[in-house]
Amino acid sequence: MNQPLNSYLQQLHAFVEAQEKRIRSLEAAVKKLQEETEVLKSRPPMQVDRIEYKFDQLKVESLEGTLNIGLNPSELQNIEDFAVDNKNIKAPISPNNHMKRTMEIEDAIYQYLESKLPEIVASVQQKLNVNVDDSYIAFIKEDIKKQLPNRIDFYIKQQQSADRSTQENNNEVIIELIKKEIQNGVHAFISHLPENMKGMKKE
């Protein structure tokens, strides 16, 4: 009779010890959670304004990107060395003449953009068999205007390094070169648009 009782008491004692260990472990976990809660409560509250997602009303607010006319970074390796020796250096063009030429060339290109850019875009779309939104015309026009001063300055300085006999009255040469750059730039811009920004023309 004593043997079963002793065995039972030993099992009961082991069970109670196991329960005490579990209780101590849980108490330690609760204490840690309480400490972390206190730390979080002491931090300043974070306020988030209301966020709404209405995908059915999603629209493009602005067009971004760059329409490169003229030199392209990938073409820099092909640029010839324009260094000249001291004997061939020409006197720099006067600031007044430089400004006058720049304004004359700018005016000519502005007129060209106003009258011909829609035709250029339409022609490129036809060649590539794609349709792009008309809003791209205004975007392309503004992007070209931003780059014009640098391109004009580049060509004037390039001509200045050439022989004086070919320097006079050559604004037309620069205008034609920039027109060609614009045509090539529009073609490159439209051809590299993401597919979801252009549609195929219907035959």
Side-chain angles (χ1 to χ4, degrees):
M1 184 74 180
N2 288 336
Q3 187 67 26
L5 181 61
N6 287 337
S7 177
Y8 172 74
L9 290 174
Q10 286 176 354
Q11 291 176 1
L12 182 60
H13 180 71
F15 177 76
V16 170
E17 278 189 344
Q19 290 299 316
E20 284 181 358
K21 285 182 181 179
R22 181 166 177 77
I23 289 170
R24 283 195 294 270
S25 175
L26 290 172
E27 285 176 343
V30 169
K31 185 177 180 182
K32 185 177 179 183
L33 288 173
Q34 286 175 335
E35 290 172 353
E36 290 177 355
T37 303
E38 290 301 321
V39 170
L40 291 174
K41 283 182 180 179
S42 66
R43 292 181 182 174
M46 183 183 296
Q47 186 173 354
V48 179
D49 293 334
R50 185 176 64 179
I51 300 174
E52 292 183 0
Y53 295 96
K54 296 182 180 178
F55 293 105
D56 58 325
Q57 298 177 9
L58 188 65
K59 61 181 181 179
V60 176
E61 292 291 342
S62 65
L63 297 171
E64 294 182 3
T66 300
L67 169 66
N68 286 314
I69 65 171
L71 295 179
N72 190 312
S74 64
E75 298 169 352
L76 291 177
Q77 58 189 7
N78 298 324
I79 295 178
E80 294 179 0
D81 186 6
F82 291 114
V84 294
D85 59 38
N86 292 334
K87 294 179 182 178
N88 295 327
I89 292 176
K90 307 295 189 300
I93 188 170
S94 72
N96 286 342
N97 287 342
H98 189 284
M99 179 63 69
K100 183 181 176 184
R101 291 187 66 189
T102 299
M103 291 177 68
E104 287 175 358
I105 296 168
E106 272 190 2
D107 287 344
I109 297 299
Y110 281 4
Q111 291 176 22
Y112 177 73
L113 290 173
E114 292 299 327
S115 63
K116 297 295 183 182
L117 186 59
E119 294 177 25
I120 295 170
V121 173
S123 174
V124 170
Q125 289 183 91
Q126 187 173 4
K127 287 178 183 176
L128 298 175
N129 193 32
V130 297
N131 274 327
V132 296
D133 194 274
D134 288 342
S135 59
Y136 276 101
I137 296 177
F139 172 73
I140 289 170
K141 187 188 299 179
E142 289 307 309
D143 210 31
I144 291 172
K145 285 180 179 180
K146 289 176 188 175
Q147 298 179 58
L148 265 183
N150 286 338
R151 298 308 301 151
I152 294 171
D153 187 60
F154 167 78
Y155 280 119
I156 290 177
K157 287 178 178 175
Q158 189 182 57
Q159 287 183 348
Q160 182 185 344
S161 68
D163 185 35
R164 277 269 179 201
S165 62
T166 62
Q167 242 188 77
E168 304 301 330
N169 302 318
N170 51 8
N171 284 0
E172 286 302 318
V173 174
I174 294 177
I175 291 168
E176 290 305 314
L177 287 169
I178 292 176
K179 285 180 181 179
K180 188 66 177 174
E181 287 186 357
I182 290 169
Q183 294 165 16
N184 293 338
V186 170
H187 186 281
F189 180 77
I190 293 177
S191 65
H192 287 89
L193 278 175
E195 291 302 320
N196 63 337
M197 299 295 283
K198 59 188 178 183
M200 297 301 293
K201 270 193 172 180
K202 293 181 180 178
E203 297 294 341

